Amino acid sequence: MHEGSRDGARHPGTSWWRSLLFVPGSRTDRYPKGLGSGADLVCVDLEDAVAPGEKDSARRSVLDLIQGATWRADRSAVRVNPARLEAGGDDLAALASLPAAEPLTVVVPKVDGPSDVERVRDALATGGREVTLVAMIETARGLENAASIAGMPDVSALFLGAVDLAAELGCSLEWDALLYARSRLVHAAALGGVSVIDVPYLELDDVAGVGAEARDVAALGFTAKAAIHPRQVEPIHDAFRPGPDDVARARRMLDAYHRAGGGVISFEGAMVDRPVVEAARRTLQRAQAPR
């Protein structure tokens, strides 16, 4: 594996994420509702969800939120503006000014390569602060460097920014047009041993559609999908939650494998070896995620 890989072991802080729900940084009053939706991670957004003229006031509101009684560091993140922009530098300076006692999860947009990760990490690494970075891959260069980005220290997940990526590539947002990009991110995340998050489904009233797309990306290897409305959270969780038949079969398979002492076995008419067993273990792990 490439230098910096984590031998396929998912980052312990993110392996249980199935959903990431965005909340506008200019509307921090929606944060409690975001937590109440059951989303695994609530991301307060200082980038796309905030108009240019509201960046400073939104940043102050987010700082107040993080230091307030309702903030859940274990279930919350902040998406900053791109680090190369003035607004992004101001975001990082503001977050670095916070007391370092609580960990920070930061979603970083427009990550083109490892140097972008280093810039953010260096800006936030004050006072021994624990930082988890989610790298958004939404440029052609970022897609090219996805494996190197996934191998960087503190990067715990890759996040497909499909809207911006499609615009740069000149392709549509349709499934077939983005299949290569999605597959490449799954491959890079597996090399780096990190989680991989899919783009939000943009049709707010199409609950069946978000569930179907979440099932498709889960089958492709994604570990989570972003959401832009609380009603999208449960269909996403359903898509990533193994069904009772899958869980029962995984348990039977593991019992048979252990009784046989490991190695290759025949189970219910199919050959089972170590990779198949690892997949069964992941099924049971996903089944234990919060409902």
Side-chain angles (χ1 to χ4, degrees):
M1 291 182 175
H2 71 282
E3 182 179 354
S5 77
R6 291 181 271 270
D7 297 327
R10 296 294 184 187
H11 187 282
T14 63
S15 60
W16 60 278
W17 291 352
R18 300 155 299 176
S19 59
L20 179 153
L21 173 65
F22 281 109
V23 171
S26 53
R27 292 295 309 272
T28 54
D29 56 302
R30 296 181 182 176
Y31 173 75
K33 184 177 181 181
L35 288 178
S37 73
D40 294 328
L41 193 71
V42 177
C43 182
V44 184
D45 187 12
L46 288 169
E47 193 205 12
D48 289 344
V50 178
E54 298 179 355
K55 296 288 186 183
D56 291 340
S57 60
R59 189 180 303 113
R60 288 192 295 270
S61 295
V62 171
L63 289 183
D64 290 343
L65 176 65
I66 294 173
Q67 297 175 92
T70 62
W71 184 254
R72 287 279 306 273
D74 60 326
R75 288 186 55 202
S76 304
V78 178
R79 178 162 72 169
V80 296
N81 288 276
R84 65 181 69 91
L85 300 182
E86 181 179 354
D90 291 343
D91 293 340
L92 295 173
L95 292 175
S97 73
L98 293 168
E102 294 240 12
L104 274 176
T105 298
V106 179
V107 178
V108 186
K110 302 294 194 301
V111 177
D112 281 344
S115 62
D116 291 325
V117 175
E118 290 172 349
R119 182 185 293 115
V120 173
R121 189 180 64 201
D122 292 347
L124 295 175
T126 59
R129 182 190 318 278
E130 180 185 343
V131 177
T132 297
L133 301 180
V134 176
M136 293 197 69
I137 307 301
E138 46 189 342
T139 65
R141 191 172 299 277
L143 188 62
E144 177 69 16
N145 295 323
S148 297
I149 294 166
M152 292 293 291
D154 299 325
V155 170
S156 61
L158 300 180
F159 185 156
L160 175 62
V163 177
D164 288 284
L165 180 60
E168 182 160 321
L169 294 178
C171 71
S172 76
L173 281 170
E174 300 300 322
W175 175 266
D176 288 349
L178 288 170
L179 181 57
Y180 169 77
R182 282 188 165 107
S183 299
R184 183 153 185 165
L185 252 63
V186 169
H187 183 193
L191 284 174
V194 300
S195 299
V196 56
I197 306 168
D198 191 52
V199 64
Y201 189 77
L202 300 181
E203 300 295 331
L204 295 180
D205 295 326
D206 186 4
V207 176
V210 68
E213 188 167 273
R215 287 190 294 274
D216 287 340
V217 298
L220 199 60
F222 278 79
T223 55
K225 186 169 178 62
I228 51 177
H229 193 282
R231 73 167 67 98
Q232 296 179 328
V233 171
E234 189 54 35
I236 290 172
H237 286 188
D238 286 344
F240 284 95
R241 183 183 299 127
D245 292 343
D246 296 325
V247 172
R249 187 175 189 278
R251 286 176 175 154
R252 294 196 307 273
M253 180 188 299
L254 291 177
D255 287 345
Y257 184 77
H258 292 311
R259 285 198 305 270
V264 179
I265 67 169
S266 175
F267 172 75
E268 297 183 359
M271 186 193 79
V272 170
D273 57 5
R274 186 184 58 80
V276 179
V277 168
E278 290 304 315
R281 287 178 177 145
R282 287 195 298 271
T283 294
L284 295 184
Q285 182 184 39
R286 290 197 303 270
Q288 294 170 358
R291 297 191 67 84

